[in-house]
Amino acid sequence: MINKIKPLLVNLIVLFVSVLFALTIGELTVRMIVPRTHHQLFCQYDALLGWKHIPHSSALYQTKEYAVRENFNSRGLRGPEYVYGKQPDEFRIFILGDSFAEGYTVEFDELFSEVLNKKLNETDKGNLRYQVINTGVAGYSTDQQLLLYQSEGKKYGSNLVVLLFYYNDILANLGSRAGNGNKPKFQLEFGELKLTNVPVPKPRKLTVKSLIESKNRSELIHSVLSYVKQWLKDNTRLYTLIIERVPDLPFLYELMIKLHLARPFAQNESNGVPDEFRVFEKNYSTSVRSAWKITEELIKELHEEAADVDSDLLVVNVPFRAAVYEESWASIKNRFGISDENWSPYQVSLELASICKKNGVEFFDPTALFREKAGQLNATKELLYFKKDGHWNKAGHHYMGEILTDYIFSHYSPGGQSKKSK
């Protein structure tokens, strides 16, 4: 018996050493020829918001498309220190949003809010000084943005609150978890918003004790695999490279998903369309309609909170890339087998416009302007979004800053002679 087991053990050891050697060579090769990728969000646990930027920290975001270092001030905001309360000669704009607002894909002075700040001060020839405060945090949805404004934003005494709204906020407003972890959740009770899941549960740390005490086998396996995945992501470039390329290799992608080393699109069982795209369906499902209702109430509440401190609210739709570039929408339709008869890349902006009009909230949708600009840039093949990342690049941020300057100056600024001016 021992004589039979011995060759098997030898073969297993040889196989293990061979695989380890091949992975080591692969890792060393990747480190020599592929630029380092680093894209970890520098956030810490927050009992109210779920997570927030680490004060006095510096974060490096590096991919094949950009390399940007963010610096956060004492309150975890990107940029310099901002004092509470504005000066008498100051017009202050407070921006809420997610990763599009945070803008970790561009340098701070290239950020749309900094372009807005600079151009407003250049445009107004009077004695008024403008200050734009950007509080965008990657992964935040409308519920977290409302709580951030209630707990912190009001202290800044802004004239105008700008809410950057992206399509994935809708379904995120319905849940208690997001890609970055646990989050607060609002529910509707008798037509009123009720905050739940606060204090937000702390992230569970994987320890030997937690492994021993775990009574749920599937939860235990998931925790171990999550830990392994995070370790691989933080320490090996070979794994990062594979994750970036694996979606283009269906067989390997399915294998990685089964091993919980890659995450698939959240898909609806009916026809495989990702749940996050369900908001572009013309006939909403019950869950999407419920998410829109929660979203509407959150916007109404934010509008009232802003009005309480004599501030206006402007909701700005972040243009969906597929609504700007026809080829992007064509690719989505082809991939998931959907048609223009039942789906539209403009569905979210139309619904959002309707909600804002119904509740007396100012709404601005720059999608048409982005489409026009994209057409103008077509000859030079310059884009407004990164190809892989999907967020605005430097050109996209600059253009957003320009068109927001025109809109805000003409609608809100005293220098623009708007009826909304204070």
Side-chain angles (χ1 to χ4, degrees):
M1 184 68 177
I2 295 177
N3 291 333
K4 291 182 179 180
I5 294 176
K6 226 174 176 182
L8 178 61
L9 287 175
V10 171
N11 289 334
L12 287 175
I13 292 172
V14 171
L15 177 63
F16 175 77
V17 172
S18 299
V19 171
L20 184 62
F21 179 75
L23 290 175
T24 301
I25 295 299
E27 175 69 18
L28 292 174
T29 302
V30 170
R31 284 176 179 265
M32 286 189 293
I33 65 176
V34 179
R36 178 175 175 79
T37 297
H38 188 83
H39 204 271
Q40 179 184 357
L41 296 177
F42 277 64
C43 293
Q44 64 185 16
Y45 166 77
D46 186 83
L48 176 64
L49 302 169
W51 62 89
K52 64 180 181 180
H53 291 136
I54 302 172
H56 296 301
S57 66
S58 179
L60 173 66
Y61 298 89
Q62 184 167 317
T63 70
K64 289 182 179 180
E65 296 181 295
Y66 53 84
V68 174
R69 180 169 292 280
E70 286 188 308
N71 295 302
F72 302 108
N73 67 19
S74 63
R75 298 193 181 103
L77 302 184
R78 189 178 182 188
E81 295 292 337
Y82 301 103
V83 298
Y84 290 139
K86 64 182 180 65
Q87 299 300 314
D89 63 340
E90 182 179 77
F91 188 95
R92 182 170 279 188
I93 300 170
F94 190 84
I95 293 178
L96 296 164
D98 58 7
S99 52
F100 273 92
E102 180 182 337
Y104 54 68
T105 60
V106 297
E107 297 295 341
F108 181 69
D109 60 352
E110 298 168 348
L111 195 60
F112 80 96
S113 51
E114 283 304 293
V115 175
L116 171 65
N117 186 75
K118 180 181 179 181
K119 289 190 172 297
L120 279 173
N121 280 294
E122 290 175 348
T123 303
D124 196 330
K125 303 302 182 181
N127 297 318
L128 195 64
R129 183 171 65 90
Y130 293 83
Q131 185 174 62
V132 180
I133 302 174
N134 186 336
T135 64
V137 179
Y140 272 17
S141 43
T142 321
D143 45 14
Q144 291 161 294
Q145 292 152 10
L146 169 62
L147 292 171
L148 173 61
Y149 183 70
Q150 290 174 328
S151 61
E152 184 73 7
K154 283 186 170 184
K155 300 175 185 178
Y156 287 93
S158 57
N159 301 80
L160 175 65
V161 177
V162 177
L163 173 67
L164 256 64
F165 189 95
Y166 195 52
Y167 80 85
N168 60 6
D169 294 340
I170 304 161
L171 290 177
N173 290 332
L174 204 58
S176 58
R177 276 194 62 81
N180 295 336
N182 298 321
K183 61 182 282 292
K185 178 182 178 180
F186 281 94
Q187 295 178 335
L188 279 179
E189 291 190 4
F190 305 105
E192 298 291 330
L193 287 173
K194 179 182 179 182
L195 180 61
T196 66
N197 209 43
V198 170
V200 175
K202 288 186 176 182
R204 184 176 179 181
K205 292 184 178 180
L206 187 67
T207 62
V208 175
K209 182 180 179 181
S210 68
L211 290 176
I212 295 174
E213 295 178 348
S214 178
K215 297 178 181 179
N216 188 319
R217 184 170 176 273
S218 62
E219 184 179 327
L220 170 63
I221 294 173
H222 183 268
S223 297
V224 172
L225 289 173
S226 296
Y227 176 82
V228 171
K229 181 173 69 174
Q230 190 60 49
W231 186 91
L232 289 171
K233 183 178 179 181
D234 293 341
N235 296 280
T236 68
R237 297 191 201 175
L238 179 60
Y239 172 76
T240 304
L241 179 65
I242 292 173
I243 288 300
E244 288 178 354
R245 302 292 175 83
V246 79
D248 299 325
L249 304 170
F251 171 76
L252 186 56
Y253 190 38
E254 289 298 324
L255 178 61
M256 297 286 282
I257 290 172
K258 288 178 181 179
L259 293 174
H260 298 277
L261 294 176
R263 188 174 61 182
F265 274 123
Q267 294 187 338
N268 184 286
E269 295 180 357
S270 61
N271 61 5
V273 177
D275 277 342
E276 65 174 274
F277 286 163
R278 287 280 160 189
V279 293
F280 297 106
E281 195 171 14
K282 293 179 181 179
N283 294 315
Y284 292 140
S285 64
T286 301
S287 61
V288 173
R289 178 51 62 190
S290 297
W292 265 120
K293 184 59 181 173
I294 289 285
T295 300
E296 179 177 359
E297 293 302 319
L298 291 169
I299 291 174
K300 284 171 58 179
E301 183 71 18
L302 181 58
H303 187 213
E304 292 172 3
E305 291 283 349
D308 283 345
V309 290
D310 200 29
S311 182
D312 285 311
L313 172 64
L314 171 64
V315 176
V316 178
N317 179 58
V318 174
F320 181 36
R321 178 173 177 160
V324 176
Y325 296 98
E326 293 182 2
E327 59 272 24
S328 179
W329 180 241
S331 176
I332 290 174
K333 290 193 296 180
N334 181 62
R335 181 176 182 183
F336 301 111
I338 61 178
S339 68
D340 290 325
E341 181 180 357
N342 298 314
W343 301 76
S344 171
Y346 310 108
Q347 186 64 25
V348 169
S349 59
L350 291 173
E351 184 72 21
L352 188 59
S354 176
I355 285 174
C356 288
K357 183 178 181 180
K358 172 184 173 184
N359 293 284
V361 178
E362 188 74 13
F363 175 69
F364 175 49
D365 182 11
T367 300
L369 292 172
F370 263 71
R371 282 177 61 87
E372 182 180 351
K373 185 67 172 180
Q376 294 171 357
L377 295 174
N378 189 51
T380 60
K381 295 184 178 181
E382 185 179 359
L383 300 174
L384 298 169
Y385 299 72
F386 286 104
K387 288 183 177 181
K388 287 187 175 295
D389 182 275
H391 288 87
W392 294 323
N393 56 21
K394 180 180 177 180
H397 271 276
H398 190 271
Y399 188 57
M400 187 63 172
E402 284 186 334
I403 57 181
L404 264 183
T405 298
D406 293 340
Y407 190 89
I408 289 175
F409 186 73
S410 62
H411 285 73
Y412 295 95
S413 168
Q417 300 180 348
S418 167
K419 294 180 181 179
K420 298 180 187 298
S421 303
K422 292 180 176 60

